[in-house]
Amino acid sequence: MGVRKKQMAERIKAEKQQIAFAKLNNCPTSPRKMRLVADLVRGVQVEKALAILKFNQKESSRRLEKLLLSAIANWQAKNEDASVEEAELFVKEIRVDSGSMLKRLRPAPQGRAHRIRKRSNHVTLVLGSNNNTQS
């Protein structure tokens, strides 16, 4: 029993070595706007994703570019001996979830008020490596 558990743990550790992730919490952009940019880079190679985000005009692309660079740095910290170019990193998963909402009131005619919801989001970006699947 102990041998199987150890082998399984080593296999899981080797799989986790090939992925890296980064999270961005409470980003003050609506999730709908962030998803428009996130859909552009889902499943794309890292170099191409960085180029897409760099030349996109939306504000969300700047935040996602910084997050992608952070995920690459996290991957390099895990795999100090490997290089990013040889690993063929790609955006394996990018998830945009809604965060907390700031609720504000805007005055309306005749003594009424309309509620303004200032939305925020959480982004989780997971990088994967194609290096092991081809070897």
Side-chain angles (χ1 to χ4, degrees):
M1 184 71 175
V3 175
R4 274 197 315 231
K5 274 189 175 179
K6 187 174 181 181
Q7 289 172 345
M8 185 67 167
E10 288 173 358
R11 189 171 62 92
I12 290 172
K13 187 176 179 183
E15 288 174 3
K16 284 189 176 181
Q17 195 77 14
Q18 295 303 318
I19 64 168
F21 73 97
K23 290 179 79 172
L24 174 64
N25 286 333
N26 296 319
C27 179
T29 311
S30 74
R32 188 174 179 178
K33 291 177 185 176
M34 188 66 85
R35 281 188 197 110
L36 286 173
V37 180
D39 290 340
L40 295 174
V41 296
R42 185 174 287 120
V44 177
Q45 294 289 327
V46 166
E47 293 83 14
K48 189 174 178 186
L50 281 171
I52 290 170
L53 293 174
K54 185 175 179 81
F55 295 109
N56 195 339
Q57 293 181 355
K58 294 190 178 288
E59 181 202 350
S60 303
S61 64
R62 309 286 171 261
R63 298 178 196 271
L64 281 182
E65 181 183 7
K66 197 170 178 182
L67 184 69
L68 181 57
L69 289 171
S70 174
I72 293 169
N74 292 343
W75 186 87
Q76 284 177 329
K78 275 187 178 180
N79 305 290
E80 294 172 354
D81 53 337
S83 71
V84 177
E85 291 81 21
E86 294 173 4
E88 298 179 14
L89 291 176
F90 68 101
V91 180
K92 186 174 185 178
E93 179 183 349
I94 184 165
R95 205 169 46 244
V96 181
D97 303 319
S98 65
S100 59
M101 262 186 278
L102 296 175
K103 293 179 177 148
R104 300 288 180 259
L105 291 177
R106 162 148 293 160
Q110 298 179 353
R112 291 187 298 247
H114 294 306
R115 179 172 285 164
I116 303 294
R117 292 178 301 211
K118 297 190 174 205
R119 299 173 188 269
S120 67
N121 63 54
H122 305 311
V123 183
T124 306
L125 191 141
V126 179
L127 293 181
S129 176
N130 276 340
N131 205 4
N132 275 0
T133 57
Q134 293 178 350
S135 298

